[in-house]
mmCIF file of all heavy atoms in Angstrom:
data_model
loop_
_atom_site.group_PDB
_atom_site.id
_atom_site.type_symbol
_atom_site.label_atom_id
_atom_site.label_comp_id
_atom_site.label_asym_id
_atom_site.label_seq_id
_atom_site.Cartn_x
_atom_site.Cartn_y
_atom_site.Cartn_z
ATOM 1 N N LEU A 41 104.943 -47.288 -0.934
ATOM 2 C CA LEU A 41 106.030 -46.770 -1.753
ATOM 3 C C LEU A 41 105.739 -47.089 -3.220
ATOM 4 O O LEU A 41 105.401 -48.221 -3.563
ATOM 5 C CB LEU A 41 107.352 -47.405 -1.332
ATOM 6 C CG LEU A 41 108.591 -46.857 -2.033
ATOM 7 C CD1 LEU A 41 108.956 -45.491 -1.459
ATOM 8 C CD2 LEU A 41 109.765 -47.815 -1.874
ATOM 9 N N SER A 62 113.101 -39.550 -1.774
ATOM 10 C CA SER A 62 114.521 -39.326 -2.041
ATOM 11 C C SER A 62 115.338 -39.100 -0.780
ATOM 12 O O SER A 62 116.157 -38.198 -0.701
ATOM 13 C CB SER A 62 114.678 -38.127 -2.985
ATOM 14 O OG SER A 62 115.986 -38.068 -3.489
ATOM 15 N N PRO A 81 110.946 -42.941 -6.238
ATOM 16 C CA PRO A 81 110.138 -43.668 -5.245
ATOM 17 C C PRO A 81 109.688 -42.720 -4.129
ATOM 18 O O PRO A 81 110.482 -41.946 -3.600
ATOM 19 C CB PRO A 81 111.116 -44.722 -4.703
ATOM 20 C CG PRO A 81 112.183 -44.844 -5.742
ATOM 21 C CD PRO A 81 112.318 -43.470 -6.324
ATOM 22 N N ILE A 84 103.135 -41.336 0.572
ATOM 23 C CA ILE A 84 102.422 -40.245 1.227
ATOM 24 C C ILE A 84 101.615 -40.813 2.385
ATOM 25 O O ILE A 84 100.865 -41.773 2.208
ATOM 26 C CB ILE A 84 101.484 -39.527 0.239
ATOM 27 C CG1 ILE A 84 102.285 -38.984 -0.941
ATOM 28 C CG2 ILE A 84 100.703 -38.423 0.928
ATOM 29 C CD1 ILE A 84 101.418 -38.466 -2.085
ATOM 30 N N PHE A 97 100.906 -35.888 -14.733
ATOM 31 C CA PHE A 97 100.896 -35.550 -16.149
ATOM 32 C C PHE A 97 102.251 -35.869 -16.770
ATOM 33 O O PHE A 97 103.286 -35.829 -16.090
ATOM 34 C CB PHE A 97 100.576 -34.061 -16.343
ATOM 35 C CG PHE A 97 101.508 -33.143 -15.614
ATOM 36 C CD1 PHE A 97 102.626 -32.615 -16.242
ATOM 37 C CD2 PHE A 97 101.293 -32.832 -14.279
ATOM 38 C CE1 PHE A 97 103.507 -31.791 -15.562
ATOM 39 C CE2 PHE A 97 102.168 -31.999 -13.588
ATOM 40 C CZ PHE A 97 103.267 -31.481 -14.231
ATOM 41 N N SER A 108 110.587 -29.474 -29.734
ATOM 42 C CA SER A 108 110.573 -28.018 -29.560
ATOM 43 C C SER A 108 111.767 -27.546 -28.737
ATOM 44 O O SER A 108 112.349 -28.294 -27.954
ATOM 45 C CB SER A 108 109.276 -27.574 -28.871
ATOM 46 O OG SER A 108 109.286 -27.981 -27.509
ATOM 47 N N VAL A 122 118.106 -36.906 -14.472
ATOM 48 C CA VAL A 122 118.985 -35.737 -14.513
ATOM 49 C C VAL A 122 118.453 -34.589 -13.660
ATOM 50 O O VAL A 122 119.181 -33.663 -13.321
ATOM 51 C CB VAL A 122 119.189 -35.242 -15.966
ATOM 52 C CG1 VAL A 122 119.899 -36.306 -16.784
ATOM 53 C CG2 VAL A 122 117.868 -34.852 -16.618
ATOM 54 N N TRP A 135 108.566 -17.389 -4.817
ATOM 55 C CA TRP A 135 107.998 -17.966 -6.032
ATOM 56 C C TRP A 135 107.125 -19.181 -5.764
ATOM 57 O O TRP A 135 106.324 -19.583 -6.632
ATOM 58 C CB TRP A 135 109.102 -18.309 -7.026
ATOM 59 C CG TRP A 135 110.044 -19.399 -6.614
ATOM 60 C CD1 TRP A 135 111.216 -19.260 -5.946
ATOM 61 C CD2 TRP A 135 109.885 -20.798 -6.851
ATOM 62 N NE1 TRP A 135 111.811 -20.479 -5.750
ATOM 63 C CE2 TRP A 135 111.025 -21.451 -6.305
ATOM 64 C CE3 TRP A 135 108.926 -21.572 -7.472
ATOM 65 C CZ2 TRP A 135 111.203 -22.829 -6.359
ATOM 66 C CZ3 TRP A 135 109.087 -22.954 -7.541
ATOM 67 C CH2 TRP A 135 110.218 -23.564 -6.983
ATOM 68 N N ALA A 187 120.654 -41.509 -7.388
ATOM 69 C CA ALA A 187 119.908 -42.109 -8.495
ATOM 70 C C ALA A 187 120.062 -43.624 -8.486
ATOM 71 O O ALA A 187 119.091 -44.363 -8.727
ATOM 72 C CB ALA A 187 120.396 -41.531 -9.828
ATOM 73 N N LEU A 210 116.638 -61.253 4.337
ATOM 74 C CA LEU A 210 117.385 -60.085 3.893
ATOM 75 C C LEU A 210 118.169 -60.410 2.631
ATOM 76 O O LEU A 210 118.274 -59.587 1.711
ATOM 77 C CB LEU A 210 118.323 -59.617 5.002
ATOM 78 C CG LEU A 210 119.238 -58.428 4.667
ATOM 79 C CD1 LEU A 210 118.419 -57.221 4.227
ATOM 80 C CD2 LEU A 210 120.107 -58.074 5.868
ATOM 81 N N SER A 264 98.205 -65.527 8.034
ATOM 82 C CA SER A 264 98.774 -66.506 7.111
ATOM 83 C C SER A 264 98.867 -65.947 5.691
ATOM 84 O O SER A 264 99.881 -66.123 5.004
ATOM 85 C CB SER A 264 97.931 -67.788 7.120
ATOM 86 O OG SER A 264 98.420 -68.722 6.193
ATOM 87 N N GLY A 267 101.829 -63.511 5.313
ATOM 88 C CA GLY A 267 103.165 -63.932 5.722
ATOM 89 C C GLY A 267 103.588 -63.375 7.058
ATOM 90 O O GLY A 267 104.788 -63.234 7.330
ATOM 91 N N ASN A 276 100.302 -58.693 17.671
ATOM 92 C CA ASN A 276 101.238 -57.774 18.332
ATOM 93 C C ASN A 276 101.811 -56.761 17.343
ATOM 94 O O ASN A 276 101.908 -55.562 17.640
ATOM 95 C CB ASN A 276 102.363 -58.559 18.990
ATOM 96 C CG ASN A 276 101.901 -59.342 20.203
ATOM 97 O OD1 ASN A 276 100.902 -58.980 20.837
ATOM 98 N ND2 ASN A 276 102.600 -60.422 20.530
#
Side-chain angles (χ1 to χ4, degrees):
L41 185 76
S62 193
I84 302 170
F97 56 94
S108 71
V122 296
W135 66 269
L210 177 57
S264 177
N276 290 335

